[in-house]
Amino acid sequence: MDLQKQPDLQKPAGPAPAVADLRASDADRDRIADILREALAEGRLTADEHAERVEGVLGAKTVGELEVFIRDLPAAHEPRTALAWTPAPNRPTDAIPPDPDDNVVAVFSAAVRKGRWRAGRRIHAYAVFGSVEIDLSEAIFEYRQVVIKAFSVFGSVEVRVPENISLRGTGVGVLGDFQVDTLDSAEPDAPVVYVDGWAVLGSVDAKPRRGKLVADILDRVQRVVDRKVDRSLRKHLDR
């Protein structure tokens, strides 16, 4: 896959691409979808026009392709205020309950949490002569801060997170390996995952899963379309 190829350091870097040529992120698509939703609510777009443009937004690959769908709308020409960005704190700032919302235990076995699941505020993982996998790359984040306490004894705990959140770690390895790849999201309201604990003759490894993002744009767009279609049907029935 081209996105996974490392750049050739021996070749001189070329000119920086124009903003319009940059790959679009899910946050970019969210912004365009929000503008289209407002335009539909204001009567600037018909339901058919909105549906057609939303379909194009979901398939757009670059920022320039996204801008095409809103260039005739006033919101596209309003200046955007830059948000202040600060790195995530090394310790949770929200009140985290002492008791876990979820225990993931593997004793001479394997335990996995992955797919579309709801991540609580505190998760405890225990791997004793076993392996634990906690994959948050497709999880639903109901809280902005999530703490994972990982304990590994002759075992392994693997944590994977979306690449557009923040990740922090403060664990200790005792004759073992406790490794957390620090990650800072560019989005100020992105979730923060804190991995703590220890590894004794075992390993704890936390890092982002590349290509996975926190985004529910498809669900949000579908809900918006359903509401607008329902409203249009009610208008026709009232005539």
Side-chain angles (χ1 to χ4, degrees):
M1 187 174 177
D2 292 342
L3 293 179
Q4 296 175 335
K5 293 181 179 179
Q6 299 297 323
D8 189 348
L9 299 180
Q10 296 180 348
K11 294 181 180 180
V19 173
D21 296 329
L22 295 176
R23 299 284 294 190
S25 68
D26 285 324
D28 295 326
R29 295 186 181 89
D30 283 351
R31 180 177 64 85
I32 301 301
D34 287 341
I35 292 176
L36 293 176
R37 183 191 66 235
E38 294 299 327
L40 177 61
E42 293 170 357
R44 299 181 188 276
L45 295 176
T46 66
D48 290 340
E49 290 172 332
H50 176 264
E52 182 180 355
R53 295 194 187 196
V54 165
E55 183 178 357
V57 166
L58 297 178
K61 296 295 189 296
T62 67
V63 174
E65 291 176 4
L66 286 176
E67 297 294 339
V68 169
F69 297 105
I70 61 170
R71 63 186 177 188
D72 59 345
L73 300 175
H77 307 284
E78 296 175 356
R80 282 180 284 165
T81 303
L83 296 175
W85 177 84
T86 56
N90 289 326
R91 294 284 184 179
T93 57
D94 293 348
I96 306 295
D99 297 325
D101 299 306
D102 192 7
N103 282 309
V104 188
V105 182
V107 180
F108 290 98
S109 62
V112 178
R113 291 287 188 278
K114 64 187 303 183
R116 199 67 171 162
W117 62 292
R118 297 181 182 277
R121 285 176 291 181
R122 178 183 288 272
I123 303 168
H124 285 186
Y126 303 90
V128 181
F129 290 95
S131 64
V132 170
E133 178 186 357
I134 298 178
D135 190 342
L136 296 165
S137 60
E138 297 180 5
I140 299 172
F141 286 83
E142 296 185 314
Y143 304 96
R144 186 172 179 272
Q145 297 185 351
V146 176
V147 171
I148 298 177
K149 299 286 289 188
F151 306 96
S152 172
V153 180
F154 289 97
S156 66
V157 176
E158 181 181 286
V159 178
R160 295 294 179 264
V161 302
E163 65 175 345
N164 64 334
I165 73 168
S166 294
L167 178 63
R168 290 289 184 272
T170 56
V172 176
V174 180
L175 298 179
D177 184 27
F178 198 108
Q179 182 174 347
V180 177
D181 290 355
T182 299
L183 181 67
D184 273 312
S185 174
E187 303 171 25
D189 294 327
V192 185
V193 174
Y194 298 91
V195 181
D196 196 0
W198 39 261
V200 179
L201 294 169
S203 66
V204 174
D205 180 64
K207 64 178 63 174
R209 188 176 293 283
R210 298 301 178 187
K212 293 294 185 177
L213 305 172
V214 174
D216 293 320
I217 184 172
L218 289 174
D219 294 338
R220 289 200 300 273
V221 167
Q222 187 59 51
R223 289 197 296 269
V224 170
V225 171
D226 289 343
R227 287 199 301 268
K228 299 307 179 182
V229 170
D230 183 60
R231 184 182 301 173
S232 298
L233 288 174
R234 288 200 301 270
K235 287 182 178 179
H236 285 297
L237 291 175
D238 291 341
R239 291 178 178 175

